């Protein structure tokens, strides 16, 4: 494999520093450079061959930034400029919160993985809405769809979760091209229990109520809602969540979040045993399996977003072929650097040419047929 200049020269330096410090540096730089970058570059669309209309939105290409990288929406203009076809900010909770004590992100380079237990450190819905309002005033929103990923504040009791999600949605409503209900992060105690049908239905009810209030007597539709699931659900629980999503008119499912599994890791025990969610290469197959299961069950009635262990265009292709219409990356971006989204788009185009595929949508579901 040929190493990019980032992987050969920059990554070895950055990987000597504390992961969260590097992340902060990256976000701070992109917060400053993003508006300039947005003037000179936008997301590639492969001359229209990578562009899809889904859920009433136009995605210039299928490669998105996964939730968790830009939790405070500080670098929103940078993502399309780096080639992303969409970006998801958050997780955002109704109340700002500091998250878990540091250190809380660990690299497992031998496994091309990360383990994190950040615990939804974020500025809260009101402050994030103010940041997004500033980007809008400067004309820096709208280059590519923006997803708003919502979670439950740590201090909120599980039975009050619906009100927490609803409060955040009200505040962030004007900026959401789509909304993700995150019930799958392993680092907020009890959050993943909200994936069960009863609690999830309660949250979706509360979101519907906000949508009804916000659209009453006004032009414009409510943003599509997606649900983000964990890879560790039992197969029948995945099916139940998909059935509920279908019943409730949810637009899509994002699969998957990080895993608590440590299967197949080669990193030393002292790294493997860190607490938190595992992401990156060891998650790839597991999340592709969930994509295939969800796609089969939904049979074209939900948009499936595939995320987990995508580093290359072949990894992205695998998720699309399993039934995802869109993909997202986080750990692959940390390991691959700023050129990753563009490289994946280029790689998809090259393989489409090689295999005689005219449009990216033709890849979707091909391995399931
Ligand atoms: C450091 C870190 C923080 C994350 N924070 C969030 C988050 O706040 N909300 C969320 O829905 N997912 C979060 N994720 C999960 C990613 O969005 C993604 O689902 C997961 O990492 C699998 O993709 P990957 O293998 O490309 O990293 C986080 C992942 C990492 C590594």
């Amino acid at each position: 494999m040929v190493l990019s200049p980032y992987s050969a020269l920059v990554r070895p330096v950055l990987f000597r520093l504390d992961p969260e410090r590097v992340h902060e540096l990256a976000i701070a730089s992109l917060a400053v450079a993003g508006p300039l970058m947005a003037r000179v570059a936008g997301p590639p669309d492969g001359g229209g061959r990578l562009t899809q209309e889904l859920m009433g939105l136009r995605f210039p290409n299928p490669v998105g930034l996964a939730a968790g990288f830009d939790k405070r929406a500080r670098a929103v203009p940078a993502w399309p400029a780096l080639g992303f076809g969409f970006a998801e900010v958050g997780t955002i909770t109704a109340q700002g919160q500091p998250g878990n004590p540091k250190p809380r992100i660990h690299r497992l380079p031998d496994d091309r993985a990360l383990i994190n237990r950040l615990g939804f450190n974020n500025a809260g819905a009101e402050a994030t809405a103010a940041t997004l309002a500033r980007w809008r005033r400067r004309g820096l929103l709208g280059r590519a769809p923006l997803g708003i990923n919502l979670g439950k504040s740590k201090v909120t009791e599980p039975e009050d979760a619906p009100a927490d999600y609803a409060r955040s949605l009200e505040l962030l409503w004007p900026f959401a091209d789509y909304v993700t209900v995150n019930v799958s992060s392993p680092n907020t105690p009890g959050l993943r229990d909200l994936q069960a049908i009863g609690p999830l239905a309660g949250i979706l009810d509360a979101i519907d109520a906000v949508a009804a209030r916000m659209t009453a007597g006004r032009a414009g539709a409510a943003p599509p809602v997606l649900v983000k699931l964990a890879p560790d659900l039992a197969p029948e629980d995945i099916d139940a969540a998909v059935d509920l999503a279908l019943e409730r008119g949810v637009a899509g499912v994002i699969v998957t979040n990080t895993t608590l599994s440590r299967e197949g890791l080669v990193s030393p025990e002292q790294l493997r045993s860190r607490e938190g969610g595992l992401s990156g290469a060891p998650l790839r197959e597991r999340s592709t399996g969930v994509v295939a299961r969800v796609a089969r069950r939904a049979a074209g009635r939900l948009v499936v977003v595939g995320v987990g262990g995508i580093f290359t265009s072949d990894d992205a292709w695998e998720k699309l072929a399993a039934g995802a219409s869109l993909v997202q990356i986080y750990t692959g971006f940390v390991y691959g650097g700023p050129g990753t989204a563009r490289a994946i788009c280029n790689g998809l185009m090259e393989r489409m040419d090689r295999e005689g595929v005219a449009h990216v949508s033709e890849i979707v579901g091909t391995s399931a047929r």
Side-chain angles (χ1 to χ4, degrees):
M1 198 166 79
V2 186
L3 284 183
S4 68
Y6 173 85
S7 302
L9 301 170
V10 182
R11 190 175 70 197
V13 177
L14 294 180
F15 271 29
R16 285 169 172 260
L17 307 173
D18 169 68
E20 200 165 341
R21 206 172 129 70
V22 175
H23 184 259
E24 179 52 36
L25 272 171
I27 290 286
S29 317
L30 291 172
V32 175
L36 291 172
M37 291 160 61
R39 280 201 213 157
V40 293
D45 64 3
R49 291 172 65 196
L50 293 177
T51 304
Q52 298 175 93
E53 301 270 345
L54 299 162
M55 309 181 287
L57 301 170
R58 186 170 176 280
F59 292 84
N61 71 61
V63 183
L65 180 75
F69 203 92
D70 194 3
K71 286 178 188 276
R72 295 169 172 241
R74 284 171 63 198
V76 168
W79 308 123
L82 286 174
F84 288 101
F86 63 112
E88 192 169 311
V89 295
T91 293
I92 302 160
T93 55
Q95 310 193 27
Q97 55 185 36
N100 290 321
K102 297 177 186 176
R104 50 194 185 174
I105 307 181
H106 305 281
R107 296 187 197 97
L108 286 70
D110 296 344
D111 286 303
R112 290 192 301 151
L114 298 171
I115 291 178
N116 92 85
R117 49 166 201 108
L118 288 166
F120 292 164
N121 54 314
N122 81 108
E126 196 174 341
T128 310
T131 303
L132 287 165
R134 277 197 297 278
W135 291 133
R136 172 157 290 159
R137 276 200 298 279
R138 294 174 65 185
L140 289 162
L141 294 185
R143 304 289 298 281
L146 181 71
I148 304 277
N149 178 305
L150 302 179
K152 179 186 83 63
S153 312
K154 190 176 179 190
V155 294
T156 300
E157 296 297 331
E159 56 273 25
D160 298 327
D164 210 68
Y165 285 84
R167 173 89 190 115
S168 299
L169 179 58
E170 262 169 11
L171 291 162
L172 291 157
W173 181 270
F175 311 102
D177 291 320
Y178 72 84
V179 176
T180 300
V181 176
N182 179 15
V183 280
S184 49
S185 290
N187 303 312
T188 295
L191 188 89
R192 301 192 336 161
D193 298 339
L194 299 176
Q195 290 173 117
I197 295 315
L200 183 54
I203 296 167
L204 295 174
D205 278 342
I207 284 181
D208 283 350
V210 174
R213 236 184 0 265
M214 300 303 266
T215 51
R218 271 179 248 180
V225 175
L226 292 88
V227 176
K228 185 166 178 179
L229 299 176
D232 305 331
L233 286 173
E236 52 277 16
D237 292 335
I238 293 170
D239 292 349
V242 171
D243 292 349
L244 178 72
L246 286 168
E247 209 180 289
R248 301 302 309 260
V250 162
V253 176
I254 303 182
V255 277
T256 66
N257 215 310
T258 56
T259 179
L260 288 174
S261 161
R262 297 293 185 262
E263 228 176 276
L265 297 187
V266 297
S267 294
E269 176 60 26
Q270 130 248 4
L271 273 179
R272 251 185 311 180
S273 58
R274 301 283 185 190
E275 214 180 291
L278 173 76
S279 59
L283 177 60
R284 199 196 85 231
E285 270 188 40
R286 183 184 278 251
S287 87
T288 302
V290 182
V291 166
R293 188 171 187 100
V294 168
R296 210 176 313 123
R297 186 102 183 162
R301 292 166 294 170
L302 292 172
V303 169
V304 182
V305 182
V307 48
I310 298 175
F311 288 70
T312 65
S313 54
D314 284 340
D315 299 336
W317 189 290
E318 177 189 74
K319 290 279 192 288
L320 297 170
S325 295
L326 300 167
V327 299
Q328 292 178 322
I329 56 173
Y330 189 132
T331 307
F333 181 52
V334 169
Y335 278 80
T340 307
R342 232 171 257 285
I344 291 176
C345 288
N346 289 340
L348 284 174
M349 290 290 290
E350 280 163 24
R351 185 160 163 192
M352 283 162 65
D353 284 342
R354 265 200 323 275
E355 299 193 12
V357 174
H359 191 266
V360 68
S361 59
E362 293 168 28
I363 307 167
V364 177
T366 40
S367 65
R369 280 174 210 145

